[in-house]
Amino acid sequence: MTTTDHTPTAPAHPAATHPATTHPAPTTPAAAHPAATHNPTTTPPPTTATPPPTTATPPPDPHPQKLPLAALLALATAVFITSLTETLPAGLLPAMSADLGVSESATGQTVTIYAVGTALTAIPLTAATAGWRRKRLLLMAMAGFAAANTVTAVSGDYILTMAARFIAGVAAGLAWALLAGYARRMAPVHLQGKAIAIAMAGIPVALSLGVPAGTYLGKLLSWQVAFLVMTGLTVGLLAWIAALVPDYPGRPRGATPPMLRALRVPGVTPVLFVTLVFVLAHTVLYTYIATYLDGLGMGGSTDLVLLVFGAASLLSIWIVGTLIHRRLRALTLAAVLLVGVAAAVLATLSDSPALVYAAVTLWGLGWGGAPTLLQTAAGDAGGDAADAAQAMLVTLWNVAMAAGGVIGGVLLGLAGTSAFPWTILLLLVPVLLVVVISRTHGFPARRTATDQ
């Protein structure tokens, strides 16, 4: 429908003209008086029962300038549950292994099997559910966590526990593949990086508060209580998502580019390589942190060490969220170097508890912002293939988690816990090299305006 443009009150945006089309006299501009006395064909009042509105209701702003914090915090809580479900056994290995009747190395594979579930299913499930509405998919993933954590808590059988952990990993594959993109869609373009940082804040919160709290509950009550508390948190989150998180449609069939095509996009392969090896280096030690501290005579301080690590991680993600729009490359280099220095201290000076705490602080400062840095780098490098790049990142992330659990278990059996920090140093050498040489694509010195 067209309208005349001579009225001085005509709005600048075409979408705002639609309310005027509901008036009974479309051939005249909107008048200040309800009586249409200027209509030459009608002397009585208008025959319609509804008079023209006296106030105009503005249409919703399609480009909000503020972040929907309540919805983003719900996503951060989903990230918190996803991350904590994965890493909670790290602080409970001795108690879990005793109750399940297996070695600590075998119990460490509860982290590995979780990562295997994610790695095997992230890409196929992402492709299969690409057309599903996002809110429905997120609710399904969180319900999967509630069920898996409940079974883990009540199971006294190692095989059943491993099966429940695999199902939790499948739920994580669904969650990780959509959470970063979900956060991006909630925000205007210039705030998308900050929206992802808010959502990913659930990771350091899980590390700083969740794992130490779970470890404390395991000591105070039992490790089963820690997993039941996770179920309760997840049930509350389901209600939160249903009430406050907006829904978005999935992609039309055929709109998602093939995964392998994304590998040909400049910059994607370096980001994926860094993700794989950096996460592997971190996981080798983190999975067995309680066992490692036992070897140093600090087993009674596991919850405090994890608290220090998590607090440093929180500071890291705040710094990354503040600077990532301009300093992605510098922050990534700093992250790798900080973790490397921490590993060097643990390798050579771990007989001093004070230096162990200092090393753990550096480790947290380097690692805390890594998920945001790597997911942002993958999204920037992928461009139109960003969703495919993110799905591959999720898969490789969990391949690294699984491999870290296996390699850590092998190292524990062959060389003891002292081999962990040296392994980290060895793995970080190619990571640092790839970040340094990926100056044009992958980890560019200057991000483009559209990336910001």
Side-chain angles (χ1 to χ4, degrees):
M1 179 180 294
T2 59
T3 58
T4 57
D5 295 327
H6 60 273
T7 171
T9 60
H13 300 287
T17 64
H18 294 314
T21 62
T22 61
H23 292 192
T27 59
T28 62
H33 302 286
T37 57
H38 56 282
N39 189 337
T41 62
T42 306
T43 55
T47 57
T48 56
T50 304
T54 57
T55 59
T57 302
D61 186 359
H63 303 291
Q65 298 304 305
K66 294 183 179 180
L67 292 173
L69 284 179
L72 287 173
L73 289 175
L75 295 190
T77 305
V79 170
F80 171 86
I81 289 172
T82 303
S83 181
L84 183 53
T85 298
E86 183 170 23
T87 57
L88 186 57
L92 301 171
L93 282 185
M96 288 182 68
S97 64
D99 284 353
L100 294 174
V102 295
S103 68
E104 290 186 19
S105 178
T107 306
Q109 304 315 305
T110 58
V111 176
T112 301
I113 196 67
Y114 179 106
V116 168
T118 302
L120 291 178
T121 60
I123 288 179
L125 283 180
T126 298
T129 60
W132 293 23
R133 299 199 64 88
R134 302 292 92 182
K135 188 170 183 176
R136 171 190 175 191
L137 200 57
L138 182 58
L139 288 169
M140 287 181 60
M142 292 301 108
F145 281 116
N149 282 326
T150 301
V151 172
T152 301
V154 301
S155 170
D157 180 75
Y158 179 71
I159 300 300
L160 179 59
T161 299
M162 292 290 280
R165 294 288 295 171
F166 181 85
I167 296 301
V170 173
L174 279 176
W176 283 126
L178 68 90
L179 283 167
Y182 215 147
R184 287 174 75 106
R185 293 175 77 173
M186 289 184 190
V189 173
H190 68 287
L191 293 177
Q192 286 179 347
K194 185 170 288 186
I196 293 175
I198 292 173
M200 293 302 110
I203 295 175
V205 172
L207 299 176
S208 64
L209 299 178
V211 176
T215 303
Y216 177 76
L217 280 176
K219 291 180 179 178
L220 184 66
L221 299 173
S222 70
W223 63 268
Q224 292 91 341
V225 170
F227 280 97
L228 286 176
V229 168
M230 290 292 296
T231 298
L233 288 174
T234 307
V235 170
L237 177 62
L238 288 169
W240 187 355
I241 294 171
L244 295 178
V245 174
D247 194 10
Y248 295 99
R251 288 179 173 269
R253 185 177 297 274
T256 303
M259 296 290 173
L260 293 180
R261 185 184 302 171
L263 291 175
R264 297 196 292 269
V265 178
V268 169
T269 300
V271 173
L272 295 179
F273 175 84
V274 169
T275 299
L276 176 67
V277 185
F278 197 14
V279 175
L280 176 62
H282 164 78
T283 308
V284 163
L285 177 57
Y286 193 83
T287 301
Y288 296 94
I289 186 63
T291 305
Y292 176 77
L293 292 172
D294 272 340
L296 299 179
M298 297 177 62
S301 302
T302 299
D303 51 354
L304 182 58
V305 170
L306 290 173
L307 181 63
V308 170
F309 175 84
S313 296
L314 279 175
L315 177 59
S316 173
I317 201 168
W318 180 81
I319 294 170
V320 167
T322 302
L323 300 177
I324 192 172
H325 63 294
R326 294 182 180 179
R327 299 285 184 264
L328 173 65
R329 176 179 175 81
L331 290 169
T332 306
L333 287 169
V336 177
L337 290 172
L338 284 168
V339 175
V341 172
V345 172
L346 292 175
T348 59
L349 301 169
S350 59
D351 51 348
S352 168
L355 289 178
V356 170
Y357 280 108
V360 168
T361 301
L362 294 177
W363 184 13
L365 286 173
W367 179 254
T372 301
L373 289 169
L374 294 172
Q375 288 195 323
T376 301
D380 288 356
D384 292 338
D387 285 350
Q390 292 282 0
M392 287 188 289
L393 182 144
V394 170
T395 297
L396 289 178
W397 188 291
N398 286 277
V399 166
M401 294 287 291
V406 172
I407 293 173
V410 171
L411 288 172
L412 182 61
L414 294 179
T417 58
S418 61
F420 292 155
W422 291 109
T423 303
I424 293 174
L425 282 172
L426 182 64
L427 290 170
L428 289 182
V429 171
V431 171
L432 182 61
L433 180 62
V434 170
V435 175
V436 168
I437 65 177
S438 301
R439 185 178 181 86
T440 303
H441 301 289
F443 301 97
R446 186 181 299 274
R447 297 177 70 201
T448 64
T450 55
D451 291 336
Q452 299 177 23

